[in-house]
Amino acid sequence: MDERLCLAIDLGGSKTVVSVVDSAGKIYHSARRELIGKSYTPNSILAAIESASKEALEFSPDKKPQSVGISIPGPCDSENGVFLANFSTNIQGWHFKRDLEDMFHLPVFGDNDVNACALAEKRFGCCKNTANFIWITLSFGCGGAVYLNDRLYKGRRGLAGEVGHIPVVFDSKIKCGCGVFGDMEAEYSGFALGRKYNAIKGLAQNPKTASKEVGQAARQGDKDAIKLLYEAGYALGRLISMAQNILDLESAVLGGGVCVYEYEFLYPGIAQAIEDCCYPLSKQGFEVHKTALGYNASLLGAAALAL
C-alpha cells in the first residue's frame, strides 16, 4: 500500500492554505492564512506558510510528510524553484525552493498553480482517462495549463497556457499588470468583476467587493449581476474556443473561485461562446467541466507535484 505523505501549500494571490495530503488525495486538517491587506513579499508569504504549516502538522500529529509541494500563482521556473512574477501583486524573482527547503528540511517541488491543477485533475479528478485537455483558473487572476498526448505541455520556457493574458475586450482602457489592455485577468477576474459591478450600480469602489458578492447578488435575482457573469462566461468561452480550434482537445476543465462558485451563471455564456466561436467539427465530442476537485484543486495540485 502506497502511504506517501506530503505537505501541500496552495499559495494564492490573496491567501495560502497548507495541509498534509496522502497519495490517494486525502486532505487532512487545512490551515488558512490571509494575505490580503498585507505586503505580498517573500518574507510575509514565508511567515504565513510557517504559521499555517505548524497548525496543519499539529492537527495531524501522526502524519509525517516526506516532501513539500507548492502551487505558485504566476509564471514559475519549476526546475530551479523560482517564482518569476505575479502581475497582480508585483512579486518577482523569489527563490521559493531554497527558502522552503531551509524551513522544512525536506525536498520541495513547485510549479505554476494552473499546471499543478492540471496534474491534480489528471491524478485525482475528472481527467484520469483524458489525454488532451486544457485547465483554466479564474480567480484572483486567470491562467491556463495544457495537457497534450497525456503529458503536461509547458512550452519552451514553461509559459504555455497563459490564456488569462489574451485580450477579450478590444477597446478597453483597463491595463493588466502584465501590460496588456483588456485581457481576461484585467476584465473578469474575481476583483475585476467586483469593480465592474460597483461601477454598474453606481456604488463607491470597494477593494473587498469581488465575484463572491456579485454571485450573491445574482442568486437574489439581480439582473445586472446575472448579465455581468454571463459576459464573463462568454469571454471565457471565447478563450476556450481559441484553445479548441488550435489544439483539438477532448475537454476543458474550469476551476478557481469564480468558476467553482459562480459556474451556474457563467455556463450559459460559455456555451453560447463555444457555439458562436468554435469550429463546427471541433465541437463534436468536446466537453466543458467544472473541476471535480472544487476549491481544493490547487492544494491537491501542490500535493501532486510533491507525490
Side-chain angles (χ1 to χ4, degrees), residues 140-271:
F140 187 78
C142 180
V146 182
Y147 224 88
L148 294 178
N149 299 323
D150 225 20
R151 295 187 64 178
L152 184 65
Y153 176 74
K154 299 182 71 171
R156 180 170 59 96
R157 293 187 297 152
L159 300 177
E162 288 289 351
V163 295
H165 301 292
I166 294 174
V168 293
V169 178
F170 295 101
D171 59 350
S172 176
K173 301 297 189 292
I174 301 172
K175 188 177 184 180
C176 180
C178 74
V180 173
F181 284 92
D183 66 16
M184 188 70 191
E185 183 165 305
E187 294 289 341
Y188 293 112
S189 61
F191 288 104
L193 285 166
R195 183 190 69 240
K196 283 177 179 280
Y197 180 73
N198 284 336
I200 291 167
K201 290 296 189 182
L203 301 173
Q205 290 299 335
N206 182 343
K208 294 183 178 180
T209 304
S211 56
K212 178 180 178 181
E213 287 70 29
V214 179
Q216 288 172 346
R219 288 179 183 82
Q220 293 167 3
D222 186 318
K223 292 182 179 179
D224 290 325
I226 293 169
K227 182 174 183 289
L228 180 57
L229 289 170
Y230 177 91
E231 291 172 356
Y234 194 90
L236 185 55
R238 288 185 62 202
L239 295 181
I240 293 168
S241 298
M242 292 177 197
Q244 177 61 356
N245 288 345
I246 294 169
L247 298 172
D248 190 23
L249 305 166
E250 296 165 69
S251 64
V253 184
L254 307 179
V258 180
C259 291
V260 168
Y261 297 120
E262 318 310 337
Y263 189 75
E264 63 185 291
F265 297 107
L266 296 173
Y267 186 74
I270 293 169

